[in-house]
Amino acid sequence: MAKGKPSQAETSACRLYLVTPPVLEPAAFAPRLIDALDAGDVACLQLRLKNCSDDDVRRACDVLRPIAQDRDVAFILNDHPRLAHEMGCDGVHVGQTDTPYRDARKIMGADAIVGVTCHDSRHLAMVAAEDGADYVAFGAFFPTATKIAEHHAEPEILHWWSELMEVPCVAIGGITAANCAPLVTAGADFLAVVSAVWDHPNGPGAGVRALHAAIAAAPKVWTTITETDEADAD
């Protein structure tokens, strides 16, 4: 997801969409971000800070945005379209209880990336795509410690979406190198990851490399287990 709008035409492979920890000190986090982004292909970095002031967000953008953009990694701000526009971010990500997509688009402009959380809802995803969202995000697929997950999605929704729509889809929620294969095979265009990179025991760069290896090793053909298949197995 280089600068500008993401599209499936950019690459046929599933790519990484990094999300920052909810709490960070920008100067201390910067070397860790460099380690992650220099370890391999990353499409996007979302700055997602919680319980902090607008000035805290501005300071984080000032430090981290150039690191991402200098490496052709799109810099996305979570929740705050006005701040995203003010700080020169490449886009904004909005949830269902944040600024509505259409308002975010007016603030950000036609050329910015605007992504929308759609939980496990096909309807919400269809509405977002029809309104013009640049990507839709489904999840949570697995338990996550970064936020309380009120919705649980299954890989099948990624397969359904990828077969039907050209708008890219992002899978999010507890994704690691150990569990991402079904999401890749199902058709996720991007894997949004947090702890799998920033909490990797060997550092963020090792986390990125582990995820790339897992993506490359994922089965290429999507299969589903039907009730008939389960009966035959018995």
Side-chain angles (χ1 to χ4, degrees):
M1 197 183 297
K3 294 179 183 179
K5 297 183 180 181
S7 70
Q8 290 178 321
E10 288 183 3
T11 176
S12 59
C14 182
R15 304 180 70 195
L16 293 184
Y17 179 128
L18 302 189
V19 180
T20 68
V23 178
L24 58 82
E25 197 290 309
F29 185 73
R32 303 182 69 223
L33 177 59
I34 292 170
D35 183 32
L37 298 188
D38 288 349
D41 175 63
V42 174
C44 174
L45 174 73
Q46 181 187 131
L47 178 64
R48 185 173 73 185
L49 301 181
K50 298 299 182 181
N51 302 317
C52 63
S53 69
D54 287 355
D55 282 342
D56 288 336
V57 174
R58 291 186 179 97
R59 284 191 287 271
C61 286
D62 282 340
V63 174
L64 304 179
R65 177 181 49 78
I67 295 172
Q69 291 179 340
D70 286 349
R71 292 162 172 79
D72 290 326
V73 175
F75 189 82
I76 308 295
L77 184 61
N78 187 51
D79 291 354
H80 301 291
R82 294 192 183 281
L83 277 177
H85 180 72
E86 172 192 336
M87 298 306 299
C89 300
D90 296 302
V92 68
H93 179 88
V94 294
Q96 292 298 318
T97 60
D98 300 325
T99 304
Y101 166 80
R102 293 184 182 183
D103 293 342
R105 174 60 71 195
K106 290 178 182 178
I107 295 167
M108 294 298 297
D111 294 332
I113 299 168
V114 181
V116 180
T117 292
C118 298
H119 303 304
D120 58 345
S121 172
R122 299 184 183 200
H123 172 70
L124 291 177
M126 293 292 289
V127 170
E130 290 170 0
D131 282 348
D134 296 302
Y135 68 82
V136 298
F138 294 113
F141 286 93
F142 306 103
T144 173
T146 60
K147 63 187 298 185
I148 298 173
E150 298 178 1
H151 303 270
H152 178 72
E154 297 292 341
E156 194 278 332
I157 198 170
L158 300 171
H159 180 67
W160 166 79
W161 184 261
S162 65
E163 290 289 297
L164 182 67
M165 303 293 291
E166 293 185 359
V167 175
C169 60
V170 176
I172 191 168
I175 297 170
T176 69
N179 65 21
C180 71
L183 309 180
V184 176
T185 304
D189 295 288
F190 304 97
L191 299 181
V193 293
V194 188
S195 299
V197 167
W198 311 120
D199 294 342
H200 193 282
N202 296 320
V208 167
R209 288 188 290 271
L211 282 157
H212 277 301
I215 290 170
K220 307 304 180 186
V221 178
W222 168 259
T223 58
T224 57
I225 299 177
T226 65
E227 293 180 0
T228 300
D229 293 333
E230 291 174 345
D232 290 342
D234 292 339

